[in-house]
Amino acid sequence: MVVSGDGIVTSYGGQGWGMTSTATAAGTTTLTTISTIIQIFTGTTTQNVQLPAANALGADLCLIYVIKNQSSGNVAVLRAGSDTIDGDTSTVLTNE
């Protein structure tokens, strides 16, 4: 839970603060409601990232992830169920 200077409270449920670095291995990383907010992918191959369902914490709460591709392959971010990512079923992050 975060309280800003103006008293607005933002709840992140059980989501872990911090960063996780994963070496790509042509596999799938499944994020959960307790995964760290920052996810960094390194390595020399591709990786899929499976998001949790948008309603995983309930209708009034949200999950926030920062996903950074520092690998030489693509990282595909995949939706859960019928959720969408900006109207699409997935998005691909190239090395930035």
Side-chain angles (χ1 to χ4, degrees):
M1 186 175 299
V2 176
V3 180
S4 65
D6 59 1
I8 296 174
V9 178
T10 305
S11 174
Y12 293 94
Q15 192 172 21
W17 291 95
M19 178 201 70
T20 299
S21 181
T22 303
T24 56
T28 299
T29 298
T30 302
L31 300 181
T32 68
T33 58
I34 59 171
S35 295
T36 57
I37 293 171
I38 300 171
Q39 300 284 323
I40 298 177
F41 292 88
T42 62
T44 58
T45 189
T46 61
Q47 191 76 7
N48 291 328
V49 180
Q50 180 71 54
L51 296 174
N55 64 354
L57 290 177
D60 296 330
L61 298 175
C62 68
L63 295 168
I64 297 171
Y65 297 103
V66 175
I67 301 172
K68 175 77 173 165
N69 181 10
Q70 293 181 337
S71 74
S72 57
N74 290 336
V75 172
V77 181
L78 310 174
R79 71 181 182 174
S82 61
D83 294 342
T84 60
I85 303 167
D86 284 337
D88 294 322
T89 60
S90 65
T91 189
V92 176
L93 306 176
T94 58
N95 182 305
E96 299 176 16

